[in-house]
Amino acid sequence: MHLVYPLVLSALLFAIGVYGLLARRNAVLVLMSVELMLNAVNLDLVAFDAWLRDSLHSGQVFALFVITIAAAEVGIGLAIVLQVFRLRATVAIDDLDDLTEPDALRRGVARYGPDGPLPGPDGPMVDSSAVERGRP
């Protein structure tokens, strides 16, 4: 068996996965790109196992471990994506650059910058818990 054919195919799959990881803005498509890269690694493991004629089939065993880890990664990743979508109503990665909750502006929670409270849509924001305690 020629080793070149599976290795070229694996390199192409891995390159497509890297491109998808770097170019996509959707979190679900990023997870799919990571899966594509892991499948390219699985193809390499099985190809080298067949080429070396390993009696223990170590490459296939490692490929099964990678498949298991990939399944766990997809489960956890999709759970995180669903929670982010419920909170933010978007799965675009570029829109997830801050750690504040999107409802913080409507609840009256102040965001502070280096010069004090940042202005909100209706003027300067006030920390509602500080107002309740008697402090503006």
Side-chain angles (χ1 to χ4, degrees), residues 31 35 67-83:
L31 286 173
E35 288 299 315
I67 289 170
T68 305
I69 291 171
E73 176 255 337
V74 164
I76 292 172
L78 285 177
I80 291 170
V81 167
L82 283 174
Q83 288 292 35

Side-chain angles (χ1 to χ4, degrees), residues 106-110 112 126-136:
R106 283 187 262 137
R107 289 193 315 234
V109 177
Y112 292 95
V126 177
D127 187 0
S128 61
S129 63
V131 171
E132 291 170 1
R133 291 187 300 242
R135 287 182 257 161

Side-chain angles (χ1 to χ4, degrees), residues 14-100:
F14 197 84
I16 292 170
V18 168
Y19 173 74
L21 188 70
L22 296 176
R24 298 293 176 198
R25 301 291 182 236
N26 191 337
V28 176
L29 293 177
V30 169
L31 286 173
M32 288 174 58
S33 299
V34 170
E35 288 299 315
L36 197 61
M37 291 172 18
L38 289 173
N39 285 330
V41 170
N42 283 341
L43 184 60
D44 277 342
L45 288 170
V46 172
F48 277 111
D49 181 53
W51 184 63
L52 294 174
R53 293 183 178 92
D54 186 15
S55 62
L56 296 176
H57 300 291
S58 300
Q60 294 179 22
V61 171
F62 280 128
L64 285 175
F65 283 131
V66 172
I67 289 170
T68 305
I69 291 171
E73 176 255 337
V74 164
I76 292 172
L78 285 177
I80 291 170
V81 167
L82 283 174
Q83 288 292 35
V84 166
F85 182 75
R86 287 181 184 169
L87 183 66
R88 308 274 179 158
T90 184
V91 290
I93 296 175
D94 292 338
D95 295 339
L96 305 176
D97 58 351
D98 57 346
L99 295 176
T100 60

